[in-house]
Amino acid sequence: MLTVTIDQTGTWMITGDFTIHNLPEMQDSIAQWLSGKDPVTINLEKVTLIDTAALQLLLSLKKYLKQEERPFKIRAGETVIKTMELLGLKKHLMDR
């Protein structure tokens, strides 16, 4: 199960399995990310599983926001970071 909430600072909190099976549940969140003007911060610290489809979504979102000159930041826990490292994507998604 995947849940998406926004905390008091405007950070998007994603909890649970962030996989291709749950991407349809993300449609409303994605529409808000794309239509807004504010920076986007996504907290993945409570994600228990992430797959390449979810990481591709995040890469595409980062690329789009960069073109729009909107800041994008991901905070991730050990599970997500290990997956990013395994796939060679950490340097592309995380701030240095």
Side-chain angles (χ1 to χ4, degrees):
M1 182 172 160
L2 179 75
T3 59
V4 181
T5 57
I6 305 172
D7 73 7
Q8 66 276 11
T9 67
T11 297
W12 291 82
M13 309 291 290
I14 299 177
T15 304
D17 292 350
F18 190 11
T19 67
I20 192 167
H21 302 291
N22 297 326
L23 290 183
E25 297 172 33
M26 297 287 299
Q27 284 181 318
D28 291 338
S29 300
I30 295 166
Q32 285 184 289
W33 291 334
L34 297 179
S35 67
K37 299 291 180 197
D38 296 327
V40 173
T41 300
I42 300 174
N43 185 323
L44 303 172
E45 292 172 341
K46 294 186 179 181
V47 167
T48 53
L49 177 67
I50 192 164
D51 67 5
T52 55
L55 291 169
Q56 176 60 44
L57 171 70
L58 294 172
L59 284 167
S60 296
L61 177 62
K62 182 176 182 176
K63 181 179 177 181
Y64 173 82
L65 293 173
K66 184 176 182 179
Q67 291 171 345
E68 296 292 310
E69 298 180 358
R70 291 175 55 199
F72 175 75
K73 183 175 182 179
I74 291 177
R75 293 196 318 248
E78 187 176 335
T79 299
V80 173
I81 290 173
K82 283 184 178 181
T83 304
M84 286 180 187
E85 289 174 342
L86 180 68
L87 298 171
L89 296 175
K90 183 179 176 192
K91 64 185 174 199
H92 299 287
L93 285 167
M94 303 289 290
D95 289 337
R96 294 172 206 211

